[in-house]
Amino acid sequence: PSLQRIRDTLADNETFLSFLYTNNGRTVYVFKLEKNQPLDAKSVVIKTEMLTLPLYDSIERIKEKITAGATLREISGPCLSDDQGNEVCGLQGIYTKLIAPLKLTPHRRLIVATDLNLSALPFDIMPTAEGALMMDTFDITYVPSATVFYYLRQRRTSTRHRTANFQSKYAGFGYSGREGNNLIHTETEITNAARYFPNDLKVPNATEDDLYQHSADIANARFLHFATHNYFEP
């Protein structure tokens, strides 16, 4: 979809940000869209002050620290150079170089489309220049891409006027697997989800035959739920 079509789906209080990593040694760019704004390059495409490689490496280090149980203070530092002379930034440094150049208006809903490991960057707990956290200033929503956001928003708009009803709200299928490493809680997951739809379909320990048998139920359910194993096929 074009930038104009994405912009036109936004509400008046929404800001859409699509982050774009570039080649190593170059800065990260951001597409910033708001309702009724002009679509000229100067207002839409923003060149941040954060280089792609230092940002990528900084996020990986923040992830490692969070996994090791680091506090918010320990991951919220400025940008510093490590022993090899590489720039490494905490959340405060990332905010200064990546977010501050966007000149965001407070108290808006931010819809953030991330790139590569930016999906692991905790925007919500990033300290702003005023000392607050971003989640205190913005309502933040994450989407995997601008394209996915556009089509989900279009579908939500079109289904508001749906006249046909689904035959059921829910169809749930659980499969714990066989042999070792069984998913022992798939039946619990199906049971817990189905309690909101007590009269709808719930099939624990489902087989492929069950799926064929209930194909009509699957086609006519509002929510389709699988709790299963996932196997990798090289």
Side-chain angles (χ1 to χ4, degrees):
S2 65
L3 292 178
Q4 180 175 344
R5 293 173 71 184
I6 296 172
R7 182 199 63 179
D8 291 345
T9 65
L10 297 173
D12 291 337
N13 66 333
E14 291 179 331
T15 299
F16 185 88
L17 303 175
S18 183
F19 289 80
L20 176 65
Y21 280 174
T22 60
N23 293 338
N24 294 341
R26 296 183 178 177
T27 54
V28 175
Y29 284 81
V30 181
F31 287 87
K32 178 184 175 184
L33 296 173
E34 293 181 344
K35 191 81 168 180
N36 300 321
Q37 76 171 61
L39 289 177
D40 60 275
K42 291 184 179 180
S43 62
V44 172
V45 183
I46 300 173
K47 181 180 180 180
T48 72
E49 300 172 9
M50 192 86 201
L51 296 178
T52 289
L53 187 56
L55 176 58
Y56 185 93
D57 290 342
S58 296
I59 293 174
E60 291 303 300
R61 297 199 186 194
I62 290 172
K63 286 166 55 181
E64 292 173 1
K65 289 182 178 180
I66 292 175
T67 303
T71 65
L72 178 58
R73 180 187 295 271
E74 291 172 325
I75 63 173
S76 296
C79 293
L80 302 171
S81 295
D82 62 14
D83 296 337
Q84 289 75 39
N86 300 315
E87 184 180 58
V88 180
C89 299
L91 294 179
Q92 184 182 29
I94 294 176
Y95 179 88
T96 300
K97 292 195 170 189
L98 185 73
I99 305 299
L102 306 180
K103 295 180 171 55
L104 299 174
T105 303
H107 309 300
R108 293 178 64 85
R109 183 185 183 202
L110 297 185
I111 302 169
V112 180
T114 58
D115 192 10
L116 292 182
N117 71 342
L118 265 168
S119 60
L121 180 65
F123 285 80
D124 298 79
I125 60 174
M126 197 179 300
T128 67
E130 292 74 27
L133 302 181
M134 283 191 67
M135 65 181 179
D136 298 324
T137 309
F138 302 99
D139 176 14
I140 304 176
T141 298
Y142 300 93
V143 294
S145 71
T147 301
V148 170
F149 163 76
Y150 173 77
Y151 285 110
L152 287 177
R153 181 62 63 90
Q154 287 293 101
R155 176 167 294 184
R156 188 181 74 178
T157 302
S158 63
T159 54
R160 285 175 182 165
H161 308 290
R162 178 190 295 273
T163 55
N165 293 319
F166 292 102
Q167 293 180 10
S168 65
K169 285 287 187 181
Y170 175 85
F173 299 85
Y175 176 68
S176 62
R178 299 187 180 91
E179 301 173 354
N181 299 320
N182 286 1
L183 295 178
I184 61 175
H185 294 299
T186 54
E187 184 173 352
T188 303
E189 182 178 328
I190 294 295
T191 300
N192 286 343
R195 69 185 179 184
Y196 299 103
F197 314 101
N199 299 319
D200 291 341
L201 181 65
K202 178 185 68 176
V203 185
N205 298 316
T207 65
E208 288 188 39
D209 288 339
D210 289 317
L211 298 183
Y212 288 118
Q213 178 182 346
H214 294 287
S215 58
D217 298 302
I218 291 173
N220 291 287
R222 177 71 176 85
F223 301 106
L224 182 58
H225 178 195
F226 292 102
T228 69
H229 263 299
N230 182 28
Y231 293 95
F232 174 65
E233 290 287 353

